[in-house]
Amino acid sequence: IQKYIQQARGPRSPNQNWATFLRNHASQIWACDFLQTYDALFRTLFVFVLIELGSRRVVHFGVTRHPTDTWIAQQLREATPWGKGPKYLIRDRDDKYGPLFARVADGTDIEVLKTPVRTPKANAICERFIGSLKRECLDHMLGLQRNQLHRLVTEFVDYYNHSSPHQG
């Protein structure tokens, strides 16, 4: 069986694997993802996060009730003023990212990398931040509306970027 699998796949190339790529280009990579949460009336809110992998600093975030392609593209525009952004952007395969998001990324010379299917570690740093935001902040406080959630996340991001142990 091993002989036939090798023929079907071809020989393995000496290219770098995902972990090596992330380690080699960490200062040039951002990652993005969504956190779904609820307000006091159990209405859905989404927090969109952009994080730089090299420094693990949250670059930008936004809060909305309806994450459309237009809104997500605007968040990327706000995070990359004057076209200054990373070389690569890691995102998952969510349908929320549409053609407008891809055009904004192309316009700022960002190569969008979709995470492979069923690979939870492919976007691990962003997922870890979202887990920390949820466990350390949002599980203890209940926002009444979008603006209050935005203030809560702003305070947590300020703490995370300046005072948390990963920065030491």
Side-chain angles (χ1 to χ4, degrees), residues 30-159:
W30 287 1
C32 63
D33 206 355
F34 282 93
L35 164 68
Q36 182 177 342
T37 188
Y38 302 94
D39 64 6
L41 299 174
F42 300 105
R43 295 175 296 192
T44 306
L45 288 163
F46 294 90
V47 180
F48 176 71
V49 177
L50 279 164
I51 191 166
E52 181 182 15
L53 266 60
S55 64
R56 296 187 181 196
R57 184 179 60 88
V58 176
V59 178
H60 181 78
F61 76 92
V63 178
T64 187
R65 289 203 185 277
H66 309 286
T68 62
D69 182 31
T70 306
W71 183 83
I72 299 168
Q74 181 61 33
Q75 298 304 305
L76 186 58
R77 273 190 216 101
E78 290 175 12
T80 57
W82 303 286
K84 293 184 180 180
K87 186 173 181 179
Y88 304 102
L89 175 66
I90 298 173
R91 72 168 184 88
D92 56 12
R93 296 179 173 271
D94 199 337
D95 291 336
K96 294 179 188 86
Y97 304 102
L100 188 57
F101 179 82
R103 272 199 305 265
V104 171
D106 286 341
T108 54
D109 294 328
I110 298 173
E111 184 178 341
V112 177
L113 305 173
K114 295 179 186 176
T115 57
V117 178
R118 294 183 180 164
T119 52
K121 292 184 180 180
N123 198 1
I125 293 174
C126 192
E127 295 285 349
R128 177 68 181 176
F129 169 76
I130 286 174
S132 296
L133 171 63
K134 194 171 185 179
R135 282 187 306 275
E136 297 175 23
C137 181
L138 300 179
D139 283 353
H140 302 283
M141 300 199 185
L142 190 58
L144 299 174
Q145 57 186 349
R146 188 191 65 80
N147 293 338
Q148 186 177 15
L149 179 63
H150 192 275
R151 284 193 301 273
L152 287 171
V153 176
T154 300
E155 290 295 322
F156 185 79
V157 165
D158 186 47
Y159 159 76

Side-chain angles (χ1 to χ4, degrees), residues 12 15-27 29 53 56 90 113 116 119 121-125:
R12 187 165 190 188
N15 294 341
Q16 60 188 353
N17 61 21
W18 185 255
T20 307
F21 170 76
L22 292 179
R23 193 171 38 255
N24 290 342
H25 300 283
S27 63
I29 301 174
L53 266 60
R56 296 187 181 196
I90 298 173
L113 305 173
T119 52
K121 292 184 180 180
N123 198 1
I125 293 174

